[in-house]
Amino acid sequence: MVNFDKVTFEYIRRDEEGNVESINKALDGIDLDVKKGDFIAILGANGSGKSTLARHINALLTPTEGTVYIEEMDTKDEDNLLNIRQKTGMVFQNPDNQIIASLVEEDVGFGPENIGIPTKEIWERVAFALEKVGMTAYREKSPNNLSGGQKQRVAIAGILAMKPECIVLDEPTAMLDPKGRREVIETITELNKKEGITIILITHYMTEVVGADKVYVMNGGNVKLSGTPREIFKEVDLLKEYKLDVPQVTEIAHRLRQQGIQLPDCILTVDELVAALGAGICL
Amino acid sequence: MLRDMTIGQYYPVESPIHRLDPRTKFLGTIIYVVSLFLFKTFWGFLLAGGFLVMVTILAHIPPKYVLKGMRPMLFLLLFMMIFNLLLTPGEVIGEWWIFSVTKEGIYAALFMGLRLALLVLGSSLMTYTTTPNKLTSGMESVFGFLKVFKVPVHEMAMMISIALRFIPILLEETNKIMKAQQARGADFESGGPIKRAKALIPILVPLFVSSFRRAGELAEAMEARCYHGGDGRTKMKPLKYHKGDLIAYILLAGLVAGCIFIP
């Protein structure tokens, strides 16, 4: 579905005469292969290149070197642009700066309008998309009166209405409260399970990646670690080196293990820790 | 204070006026505005005012809400009325220092004041009853013929609708910045007008910077959603005339007739 082949991207800073002042390699030879229907999470601290990576999937940026393929389509080819953007929708961090219309339903209809869907079908798609994210009750409301989590769900609906095969979410929860965060994560998890939509979630909140099929950890423009959440969370020390926070329970389990308490090294939830500790005491 | 600004905001209720085709409302507003400038006597304003009251009632918008739209214009209104009052030559009624109030001045002040008030109230009614998206399609279609002359009609309409959508967001942001500055000891309330204007600079600078950032992000989000200008774009809510529009046009014809027959 999404394929990165040795992708390098440089932000080039020029002074007033156009001479190169500095080159900042945001991506440095990335290889990535996302299968259809996967739930992928990309973790990384600020400046790790994860947002740059996200913008490559949607052809908002094109690689300096290497190639990005979206279902065999090269993102560098201008003719593929609309096709790629319809297939891979993108949800951004700030909920206010991605809602274009003043009514929820009109905003959801914005994408289908752009790709030339007939009027009748736009309405069907809008109804479907709002239903999927649980925002049907708000269809005639102004986005300004919604909470952050609801706004992000509207943004997701706006993408859904374009019938994408893949949704890229670039830190969709960074500006939300815990409730909004939960709403967004539940919505995308459900879309992945029920609609089979490929999800690429970019975040720096470790707790959000627990449900992912595969996690990539980025640092300095490179993928440093990849694997299932359990495999990733074993590497507590490495993650800390990449300035990421491990979930609280995993950290506690890690420290207890360092103190010599026998515990399995893949604890992700409070329940698992309680069970593991309980078993230990019984022994 | 800024939160109360209602001008340019959509007021979401169901009403016959809300249901009207935006083209009808747009042309209606243009006719109404032009009529205000054609009327030479108060009789004309009575007609225009009556028209305004009728539309407000039909639109189910509380009169208080409509009048609130006047608030940002109040200063301009008073300013204009005072100047008209003091500087119109004619039959002198009272004198004070270098100013003299004339009969014509009082007449002119009332006349101009009423005209401006009716102008603002009438045109804000259009934005109260029309969603920006509909307003945009209306304008796009009314001015569509300009495309022949290479005028970017669609792009301009899109810009206006986005500007309207961001008014409340930027107002909220202004309030936030003001509070942040006040928390650090900024004073917006005291001093003369020059000092107060200067105190606004630390608000405007961050506001500008953040608007540019917003604009950049919004453009990116629009592009990500396949926006590529007006070509090949379909409409979720295409414009269609209904029975109500016919009635509205008949009433507008009455207003036009009023323009012609009322001196």
Side-chain angles (χ1 to χ4, degrees), chain A residues 55 58 60 82 85-86 92 94 96-103 105-107 109-117 119 122-123 126 144 158-159 162, chain B residues 10 12 131-134 158 161-162 164-166 168-169 213-214 217-218 220-229 231-238:
Chain A
R55 278 160 180 70
N58 191 274
L60 286 170
L82 288 184
R85 289 187 179 155
Q86 181 264 316
F92 296 85
N94 189 328
D96 278 324
N97 296 353
Q98 56 182 322
I99 293 181
I100 289 112
S102 304
L103 274 189
E105 60 177 11
E106 286 180 4
D107 187 72
F110 179 77
E113 283 182 337
N114 288 336
I115 49 177
I117 304 297
T119 302
I122 295 181
W123 283 90
V126 168
N144 290 325
I159 304 296
M162 293 169 77
Chain B
Y10 180 61
T131 67
N133 218 2
K134 273 194 192 158
M158 183 57 98
S161 82
I162 289 174
L164 286 174
R165 142 116 178 95
F166 275 85
I169 293 175
R213 204 179 39 234
R214 271 181 201 284
E217 279 181 29
L218 188 73
E220 201 172 39
M222 286 170 74
E223 240 185 277
R225 283 164 80 182
C226 291
Y227 183 70
H228 55 283
D231 297 331
R233 207 165 180 269
T234 45
K235 293 222 176 291
M236 179 180 178
K237 297 177 175 171

Side-chain angles (χ1 to χ4, degrees), chain B:
Chain B
M1 114 202 158
L2 289 166
R3 208 166 257 285
D4 288 339
M5 206 162 125
T6 56
I7 193 169
Q9 282 283 53
Y10 180 61
Y11 189 85
V13 284
E14 260 297 303
S15 85
I17 301 290
H18 283 72
R19 273 196 300 273
L20 282 184
D21 189 284
R23 286 171 291 184
T24 313
K25 281 184 269 193
F26 200 75
L27 287 171
T29 311
I30 292 175
I31 292 173
Y32 171 83
V33 169
V34 170
S35 79
L36 286 179
F37 283 94
L38 290 178
F39 291 136
K40 294 276 175 283
T41 62
F42 283 105
W43 291 112
F45 286 168
L46 200 65
L47 178 69
F51 188 74
L52 189 73
V53 170
M54 181 189 76
V55 173
T56 312
I57 292 169
L58 280 175
H60 301 310
I61 296 177
K64 228 171 129 187
Y65 190 84
V66 178
L67 287 174
K68 247 165 85 181
M70 272 309 289
R71 212 180 274 175
M73 301 297 287
L74 220 53
F75 179 72
L76 184 69
L77 188 74
L78 284 176
F79 189 76
M80 209 184 69
M81 284 179 78
I82 288 168
F83 266 77
N84 266 303
L85 187 68
L86 298 178
L87 298 175
T88 313
E91 192 184 323
V92 178
I93 296 175
E95 253 175 310
W96 175 72
W97 195 30
I98 53 166
F99 299 111
S100 55
V101 176
T102 62
K103 212 171 169 186
E104 284 80 0
I106 296 174
Y107 182 80
L110 283 177
F111 194 77
M112 298 301 261
L114 205 56
R115 177 181 280 171
L116 185 70
L118 285 170
L119 186 74
V120 174
L121 293 176
S123 40
S124 58
L125 259 182
M126 184 173 69
T127 54
Y128 290 151
T129 59
T130 321
T131 67
N133 218 2
K134 273 194 192 158
L135 198 69
T136 322
S137 351
M139 274 155 101
E140 220 182 312
S141 131
V142 170
F143 293 118
F145 67 93
L146 288 173
K147 269 185 205 152
V148 184
F149 306 108
K150 303 257 179 231
V151 180
V153 182
H154 167 79
E155 284 73 10
M156 279 156 79
M158 183 57 98
M159 282 194 294
I160 295 169
S161 82
I162 289 174
L164 286 174
R165 142 116 178 95
F166 275 85
I167 287 175
I169 293 175
L170 290 180
L171 283 179
E172 196 179 310
E173 183 142 11
T174 314
N175 276 331
K176 248 189 226 163
I177 297 171
M178 275 177 98
K179 276 190 192 129
Q181 309 274 28
Q182 273 168 336
R184 284 178 283 163
D187 182 9
F188 303 116
E189 318 274 291
S190 64
I194 293 174
K195 197 180 164 227
R196 276 202 218 184
K198 268 190 183 161
L200 285 177
I201 294 173
I203 298 173
L204 288 179
V205 173
L207 194 64
F208 263 103
V209 173
S210 92
S211 321
F212 276 107
R213 204 179 39 234
R214 271 181 201 284
E217 279 181 29
L218 188 73
E220 201 172 39
M222 286 170 74
E223 240 185 277
R225 283 164 80 182
C226 291
Y227 183 70
H228 55 283
D231 297 331
R233 207 165 180 269
T234 45
K235 293 222 176 291
M236 179 180 178
K237 297 177 175 171
L239 300 177
K240 244 190 248 150
Y241 280 126
H242 296 284
K243 220 190 225 158
D245 295 296
L246 185 70
I247 300 167
Y249 274 120
I250 293 170
L251 289 174
L252 281 172
L255 192 64
V256 173
C259 279
I260 297 166
F261 293 114
I262 294 173

Side-chain angles (χ1 to χ4, degrees), chain A residues 165-193:
Chain A
E165 282 165 35
C166 170
I167 300 181
V168 184
L169 301 106
D170 184 11
E171 299 200 53
T173 59
M175 299 179 78
L176 306 183
D177 55 8
K179 185 168 167 275
R181 229 171 261 170
R182 212 164 39 239
E183 282 171 17
V184 169
I185 298 301
E186 273 168 13
T187 306
I188 56 176
T189 311
E190 198 176 295
L191 287 176
N192 177 253
K193 297 261 145 39

